[in-house]
Amino acid sequence: MAKKFMNATTGKHRITATDRQRLKSSLGLNLDDKDYGNNLERLLEVLFAQEIALRASTRPAMQKVHAVVQRVIRSVTAYVRSACTDGEFSRGDETVLRTYMQFYRRLAQRDRALPRPWVFTTNYDLFNETAMDRLGIPYINGFLGSIERRFNPSVFRYALSEQLDISNRKWSSVDSLMYFAKLHGSVSWESRGDGLFPVVETAPSLISSEQLLIYPSPAKQNASFAAPYSDLFREFQTRVVRDQSVLVTVGYSFGDEHVNNIIFQALTIPTFRLVAFVDPFANETVTKLRELDDPRIWIVGTEDKQATWKAHYFSTLVEDILATGGSDNAEEAINSVLTNLLGRGHKTPDSGARR
């Protein structure tokens, strides 16, 4: 998505050549740099930081540059929102959606004796919800209602049960139930001034104001303290600090300090386990986690940057690692995972999975 945006020369969200040159000459910010071309989050972090600094300047020349930075931020954020709602998948390409459907289909086959899984994401798109809807998997995401689905965090205390015997009033929990929370907001959320619960979930095309999203910026940690994000982060923290809790991360490169703080807090609990599917050399934080040499931390990733098969890709987790059935034999499941990882040319655990 980042490369496609940075290389675009046409389109309603493009950055003009004039604005590019102005940022380069006035701020030394080269938007063609590969660090920005490969990472929109990094680009937004820099742009928001520059915007905060320029906002305080009273010099006319800097005020003009400030206007350019604001214009570029609007282009990038508009592109992010558009990419989450008008991407290739909106024109019939369901490749990514099928992977999500396979993920939730397998997740729903967990041992029924285990607690219902919680899925937390920092993504804005609707792949998770669409996949569960198409599979008929019930999920609780913090919203209640039919015509107007409004955010009410008390719903996370709810569960779904099915009546087994009408005469004896016997009930059993619905095994496929999922708990789902979007920590950074969604393209389907907007804030409305009416009602006790102002955050509404609706189709992106029906949103009349800007979607509720936490964009990568120097102020994103403070933004996570506001409603509804504070309620979602509270749920995340509550789940990971529980006794015998296991957190599995996929596609998360440990770049969000406010998320990392909760994970690091959980690492002070002896029974906590962290399984991170991530590029082993993604950044300094991942390197530090590896260097802890903590047996409770598994870093799963492919060290060979030229390899075509990547152990830390979401598709790899879904297709090659997740169990395909409800086997109760934990040792058998673990052996299957290691066989899949090490059978792809990895001769030692350190090459693909570090424990």
Side-chain angles (χ1 to χ4, degrees):
M1 184 171 73
K3 288 182 179 180
K4 182 178 179 181
F5 171 72
M6 297 304 296
N7 293 335
T9 57
T10 60
K12 59 182 179 180
H13 303 311
R14 75 183 182 94
I15 301 175
T16 66
T18 301
D19 285 347
R20 287 172 180 263
Q21 182 58 38
R22 188 65 182 273
L23 291 179
K24 186 175 182 179
S25 60
S26 301
L27 302 175
L29 181 57
N30 184 5
L31 297 188
D32 294 322
D33 189 288
K34 64 178 182 180
D35 288 342
Y36 307 128
N38 296 330
N39 193 335
L40 279 183
E41 181 168 341
R42 173 62 178 162
L43 173 61
L44 282 173
E45 285 181 342
V46 172
L47 288 173
F48 275 113
Q50 294 285 358
E51 195 277 333
I52 292 173
L54 291 169
R55 191 189 310 162
S57 176
T58 58
R59 294 173 55 192
M62 289 297 98
Q63 290 177 348
K64 291 181 180 180
V65 177
H66 184 211
V68 173
V69 171
Q70 288 181 314
R71 190 160 55 245
V72 172
I73 288 176
R74 286 195 297 270
S75 294
V76 178
T77 55
Y79 173 78
V80 170
R81 295 193 301 271
S82 175
C84 291
T85 54
D86 304 320
E88 293 297 325
F89 53 86
S90 69
R91 294 186 288 274
D93 186 348
E94 297 194 346
T95 304
V96 175
L97 180 59
R98 285 195 294 269
T99 301
Y100 274 86
M101 291 177 66
Q102 188 176 359
F103 169 74
Y104 280 104
R105 187 182 297 113
R106 294 188 175 184
L107 193 60
Q109 297 172 351
R110 283 164 42 105
D111 183 350
R112 62 184 304 167
L114 294 172
R116 294 302 88 211
W118 280 75
V119 177
F120 296 91
T121 181
T122 56
N123 291 350
Y124 311 130
D125 58 61
L126 302 177
F127 285 118
N128 292 277
E129 298 95 316
T130 304
M132 287 187 281
D133 285 347
R134 291 198 180 182
L135 292 171
I137 294 176
Y139 61 94
I140 292 176
N141 67 345
F143 287 83
L144 280 175
S146 298
I147 304 302
E148 291 187 344
R149 289 180 51 79
R150 292 181 178 261
F151 182 77
N152 182 349
S154 66
V155 74
F156 285 124
R157 307 280 78 78
Y158 294 2
L160 293 182
S161 298
E162 56 183 339
Q163 192 168 6
L164 299 179
D165 190 322
I166 298 178
S167 60
N168 294 328
R169 298 186 63 82
K170 290 184 178 179
W171 299 80
S172 176
S173 61
V174 175
D175 295 329
S176 60
L177 176 66
M178 306 282 174
Y179 291 90
F180 177 64
K182 304 181 85 167
L183 296 176
H184 284 173
S186 175
V187 293
S188 61
W189 297 2
E190 72 169 333
S191 181
R192 298 180 184 174
D194 55 344
L196 295 176
F197 302 97
V199 179
V200 176
E201 180 184 43
T202 187
S205 59
L206 299 179
I207 291 179
S208 57
S209 57
E210 188 170 328
Q211 292 102 326
L212 285 173
L213 306 175
I214 295 182
Y215 292 107
S217 74
K220 66 181 177 182
Q221 183 164 352
N222 290 335
S224 67
F225 296 148
Y229 311 112
S230 57
D231 298 297
L232 298 170
F233 274 93
R234 188 180 303 112
E235 293 296 336
F236 179 53
Q237 184 176 34
T238 299
R239 297 296 153 183
V240 299
V241 300
R242 286 189 171 185
D243 192 40
Q244 302 290 336
S245 178
V246 178
L247 175 64
V248 179
T249 67
V250 186
Y252 176 63
S253 60
F254 294 84
D256 292 318
E257 184 178 353
H258 53 298
V259 177
N260 292 346
N261 289 339
I262 295 176
I263 297 175
F264 298 158
Q265 179 185 354
L267 285 170
T268 65
I269 301 173
T271 59
F272 175 73
R273 298 291 184 273
L274 172 63
V275 182
F277 288 82
V278 63
D279 181 350
F281 306 106
N283 51 48
E284 185 178 350
T285 302
V286 176
T287 300
K288 287 181 178 179
L289 286 173
R290 296 184 67 191
E291 292 174 348
L292 286 176
D293 201 23
D294 189 327
R296 299 172 303 151
I297 301 174
W298 285 60
I299 304 295
V300 183
T302 301
E303 294 185 344
D304 183 2
K305 296 185 180 299
Q306 304 303 318
T308 56
W309 187 88
K310 301 288 188 179
H312 49 277
Y313 281 5
F314 179 56
S315 58
T316 300
L317 170 71
V318 174
E319 298 169 5
D320 300 330
I321 297 177
L322 278 182
T324 56
S327 174
D328 294 331
N329 190 327
E331 184 175 347
E332 178 182 331
I334 292 173
N335 286 335
S336 175
V337 170
L338 293 177
T339 298
N340 281 327
L341 286 174
L342 303 182
R344 293 279 185 163
H346 300 292
K347 297 181 180 180
T348 65
D350 279 347
S351 297
R354 182 183 179 96
R355 180 181 178 182

